[in-house]
Amino acid sequence: MRSSAPLFFLAAIVASGLVRAQAPLTSLPTLTDEQMVAAEARYQRYCSLCHGADRQGHVNDHAPSLKSKSLLASGFPRTLREAIAYGRPGTPMGGYLDEIGGPMTLPEVRELALWLATVEKVEPFSVTHDPVAGDAALGARVYAENCASCHGANGEGGTGTALGNPVMLGLTPDRFLRHAIAEGRDGTPMPAFKDTLSAGELDGVTAFLRSRSSGWKHEKPVLATPPPLDRIVLNPEAAAPDFTLADGLYVSAAELDRELKAGKKMVLLDTRVTSMWQMTHIAGAVPAPYYSSREEVLASLPADGTWIVAYCECPRAAAESVVRSLRESGVKNTAVLYEGIQGWITLGYPVVAGRASPGAAH
Ligand code: HEC
Ligand code: HEC
């Protein structure tokens, strides 16, 4: 009978609600040494370009810190896994799961999320899914005064993440958002507001953000097949394009559009994670993600001086890394689209959906 006393004690704590909102997980599952090495290698290959070799964030495209204990403790496992698997469409964060055209299997995504939490030795707590009730109108005022300067007047993002992104809102529980607002993100510009805003204001701004989400639903995508390697050269019989490169590297969207419309011969490389090519790309572009090996890319390209134009999301980091690598291998006539595909779309130039719609011929 005596042995039941500690259990009774524990049950009493749980009943008292002391551990309800932030139940600590007993411990993180352990990765083997081999899994740790493999996960770190994947991190360096796929993620360091934007999130930094040391996971510090803000190396490219305002990618957030993946070291922040505040993020890891509240985001592990679900929010981290979902961000890595499906990305944040509408931002430079692509999805890495093979199901949507990414390079990783689900177990690899799970391992990577666990590795991120393990290297920072966080004690994750499971974020509960009960909604945060708050006064959204008050929250709108709090937002305009305290948040818009970094996150944008319409949640479009800037120094801070795009908080108006319906996919981000669709995948993050209210408690995860509130935790980020109250505790901030250590090691980043995101301040903790728990001492400057009242509990009502914290609830209100969380409710305001939630009110911006538009009921996003995940549908299983149908993947398009990239064109075969012998068909990657556009207009193989035509003349070479006439580009004037800025800084010896950049071609403008206007010039690229003009030469594509004139039917000139070239190769267009989409250097983003392939899941982003699946969603939308410039017609004729083939996926050559920034993490491909140099040999892989070289093997698929013509070696006869055909012009090669690379682009990425916003606007140049991934494309530049691919073109730099090609130039180091002696490939001639290479260029980077200066505005990136986001600029290209904003300027009104055409793109096509890579994802075949169900039942479509191709
Ligand atoms: C091309 C740049 C880029 C690459 C490469 C990239 N990310 Fe991101 N990532 C971003 C940006 C930008 C965001 C912020 C998205 C937003 O505004 O919601 C982000 C967000 C995230 C988040 C959500 C963090 C939060 O604060 O909610 C996680 C987790 C993440 N990335 C992990 C990864 C991992 C792991 C990889 C590699 C498999 C990776 N990212 C590759 C740019 C990138
Ligand atoms: C000084 C600039 C700044 C201000 C002011 C600011 N933020 Fe942030 N916020 C950031 C940055 C930068 C990040 C990304 C942190 C990182 O790098 O990990 C962020 C992250 C967040 C996140 C996490 C998003 C995600 O995808 O995980 C939320 C939620 C958030 N901020 C809400 C707010 C709210 C609400 C306010 C106002 C009460 C606010 N922020 C004020 C800079 C700011």
Side-chain angles (χ1 to χ4, degrees), residues 46-47 50-51 61 64 84 88 91 93 96 161-162 185 290:
Y46 300 129
C47 321
C50 301
H51 292 280
D61 298 344
I84 301 170
R88 300 265 171 89
T91 81
M93 177 65 200
Y96 286 80
T161 20
R185 289 281 169 84
Y290 63 88

Side-chain angles (χ1 to χ4, degrees), residues 34 101 231 289:
E34 275 149 37
R231 294 221 316 260

Side-chain angles (χ1 to χ4, degrees), residues 56-58 63-66 68 71 88 142-143 146-151 159-161 163 168 172 176-177 180-181 185 188-191 193 197 205 209:
Q56 71 277 25
H58 302 275
S65 158
L66 298 180
S68 156
L71 165 70
R88 300 265 171 89
V142 172
Y143 184 87
N146 300 278
C147 324
S149 55
C150 292
H151 290 283
T159 314
T161 20
L163 297 178
M168 187 280 282
T172 49
F176 172 85
L177 296 175
I181 302 165
R185 289 281 169 84
T188 85
M190 172 66 195
F193 286 95
L197 295 178
V205 74
L209 291 179

Side-chain angles (χ1 to χ4, degrees), residues 62-150:
H62 294 305
S65 158
L66 298 180
K67 264 175 109 87
S68 156
K69 291 205 168 35
S70 161
L71 165 70
L72 297 169
S74 62
F76 182 84
R78 195 187 136 198
T79 307
L80 291 183
R81 281 183 196 157
E82 286 177 340
I84 301 170
Y86 297 108
R88 300 265 171 89
T91 81
M93 177 65 200
Y96 286 80
L97 183 63
D98 52 6
E99 188 185 293
I100 58 159
M104 278 190 261
T105 63
L106 188 59
E108 287 167 353
V109 167
R110 297 169 90 100
E111 257 171 46
L112 188 51
L114 177 54
W115 176 78
L116 287 170
T118 304
V119 281
E120 285 304 319
K121 301 188 181 66
V122 291
E123 280 180 26
F125 54 89
S126 41
V127 168
T128 61
H129 283 259
D130 31 312
V132 170
D135 177 350
L138 168 68
R141 291 195 297 277
V142 172
Y143 184 87
E145 274 168 33
N146 300 278
C147 324
S149 55
C150 292

Side-chain angles (χ1 to χ4, degrees), residues 164-183:
N165 181 346
V167 180
M168 187 280 282
L169 291 171
L171 293 178
T172 49
D174 287 5
R175 300 277 159 195
F176 172 85
L177 296 175
R178 197 185 184 286
H179 182 82
I181 302 165
E183 303 296 326

